[in-house]
Amino acid sequence: MNQLTYPDLYCPFPSQINKHIDILEDHALEWVTRFDLLANESSYERFCKSKFFFLAASAYPNCQLEELKIANDWLSWAFIWDDQCDLSNLGRQPDVLKDFHKRFLEILNGAELTSKDIPLAYALSDLRQRILQRGSQEWFHYFVDRYEDYFDGCVQEAVNRAQEITPDVDSYMLIRRLTLGGYVFLALMEFCNYLIIPDSLRNHEVMKELKAMTINILAWCNDIFSVHREMSSGDVHNLALLIYYQQKVSLEQAILTVSEMHDREVHRLKEFQLSLPSFGEQLDAELAKYISGLHSWISANLNWYSHSGRYQTIDSLELNQ
């Protein structure tokens, strides 16, 4: 299992790094320790090895420092919570998970903190305050809605684990588009890059298709590089593992199948971009910046795996309660 050879995935988009990356690395550690988000030295070391700051600096290469810090801290928060949903007993307790998510959404919508709230709730309140200082309330509501979708996906996975359900590939893909968090971080891209995307464009079929293809690419890339961790932890929520179990092929062949799906989707995205309609000069300019941001995310996500130690262990980033 440790000797799996991962295929070279196709990525025609250039790799870029935000000029503030060195500042960001120091900030990332300061923020998680300030809010006491990691339970022990082992969790701290694992966070450092994960290098979420590198992903943030690559995914948002052109944004200013304060926006970049906010994006990084959202990523850190989401990955820490994601580990609890995937690797801890919480990931098999959908009702408990729902209670946490209900409270998180209350805080995102402005509820006051109490002594009963966990450190992640305090960190979430900090992020809400900082983002509203620099972004619009209207956009933030859209952003919170994407977070609610992510939370719903995590609960669906927890139900599957609790009931020992192995989803079929189509059902898994629907859940995966939510649990990846891709819609959250593509929404955050609008904030980081000062994009003005009206609802008429945001809800257009063209935008929906661009986002769906991008999230497929990100998800399938992640499933390839995380297959060892998920197999070791007994989790079935991975496209390569589902193909492996359900189609009775070798794991290497299952990974190759996912890599071929990934590469076809990248080609499809490139071709789709060539046939976009015009929405007028101003919106076309915003859409071009948005597509550039999609390219940055695809490139950043792929490059991050060669720098990060996140998927080399099944230990979770334990929470302080």
Side-chain angles (χ1 to χ4, degrees), residues 112-297:
E112 294 292 326
L113 294 163
T114 74
S115 59
K116 295 181 180 179
D117 284 314
I118 64 174
L120 268 179
Y122 281 81
L124 203 59
S125 179
D126 171 75
L127 284 167
R128 178 184 186 274
Q129 294 171 21
R130 288 160 60 200
I131 208 167
L132 284 174
Q133 288 173 356
R134 309 183 77 84
S136 71
Q137 187 77 48
E138 180 183 6
W139 174 85
F140 190 68
H141 283 312
Y142 167 73
F143 181 68
V144 171
D145 285 345
R146 304 289 74 74
Y147 241 99
E148 188 166 8
D149 293 340
Y150 161 70
F151 288 150
D152 288 345
C154 293
V155 170
Q156 289 178 51
E157 283 196 351
V159 169
N160 287 345
R161 294 188 192 100
Q163 299 180 7
E164 297 185 348
I165 295 171
T166 299
D168 59 49
V169 168
D170 290 339
S171 298
Y172 167 72
M173 286 191 185
L174 292 174
I175 298 174
R176 187 67 174 115
R177 292 187 186 110
L178 301 179
T179 59
L180 179 73
Y183 288 109
V184 175
F185 295 109
L186 295 186
L188 192 60
M189 181 178 70
E190 297 179 26
F191 167 81
C192 286
N193 295 335
Y194 306 114
L195 301 185
I196 302 174
I197 308 291
D199 286 342
S200 60
L201 180 57
R202 186 181 284 144
N203 297 325
H204 195 280
E205 288 304 314
V206 163
M207 284 287 279
K208 291 179 181 179
E209 188 68 13
L210 285 169
K211 285 185 278 192
M213 285 187 284
T214 299
I215 288 169
N216 283 341
I217 292 165
L218 299 177
W220 299 340
C221 178
N222 178 268
D223 280 4
I224 288 170
F225 288 100
S226 66
V227 67
H228 177 270
R229 187 174 83 150
E230 277 140 10
M231 193 174 198
S232 298
S233 65
D235 198 352
V236 298
H237 294 101
N238 180 294
L239 182 56
L241 289 182
L242 290 178
I243 292 172
Y244 167 65
Y245 291 129
Q246 295 176 1
Q247 297 184 13
K248 307 300 182 183
V249 299
S250 69
L251 186 57
E252 288 79 4
Q253 180 57 52
I255 291 172
L256 181 60
T257 298
V258 178
S259 74
E260 290 170 348
M261 293 172 60
H262 169 279
D263 291 356
R264 284 197 299 270
E265 198 76 343
V266 176
H267 283 291
R268 194 164 77 90
L269 176 62
K270 286 180 63 182
E271 291 171 4
F272 186 78
Q273 293 169 203
L274 299 177
S275 60
L276 296 179
S278 174
F279 297 94
E281 184 176 352
Q282 185 174 354
L283 289 185
D284 286 352
E286 294 299 295
L287 182 57
K289 294 175 189 174
Y290 188 89
I291 292 172
S292 178
L294 300 182
H295 294 173
S296 293
W297 250 108

Side-chain angles (χ1 to χ4, degrees), residues 37-39 43 80-81 84 90 118 120 317-321:
L37 297 188
L38 305 175
S43 294
I80 291 170
W81 183 245
Q84 302 310 301
L90 189 59
I118 64 174
L120 268 179
L317 292 171
E318 295 177 39
L319 290 181
N320 271 342
Q321 297 293 326

Side-chain angles (χ1 to χ4, degrees), residues 11 46 59 74 80 95 109 117 180 273 276 283 304 310:
C11 182
R46 178 159 146 64
W74 278 110
I80 291 170
D95 290 337
N109 285 307
D117 284 314
L180 179 73
Q273 293 169 203
L276 296 179
L283 289 185
W304 176 55
R310 172 171 166 76

Side-chain angles (χ1 to χ4, degrees), residues 5-46:
T5 299
Y6 296 105
D8 291 329
L9 298 180
Y10 174 60
C11 182
F13 310 125
S15 176
Q16 303 178 73
I17 299 290
N18 195 289
K19 65 182 180 181
H20 300 299
I21 186 170
D22 292 337
I23 298 173
L24 189 65
E25 181 175 10
D26 293 337
H27 165 81
L29 289 172
E30 185 277 328
W31 190 77
V32 295
T33 52
R34 172 157 45 101
F35 285 96
D36 202 20
L37 297 188
L38 305 175
N40 50 43
E41 184 64 26
S42 175
S43 294
Y44 181 87
E45 290 176 2
R46 178 159 146 64

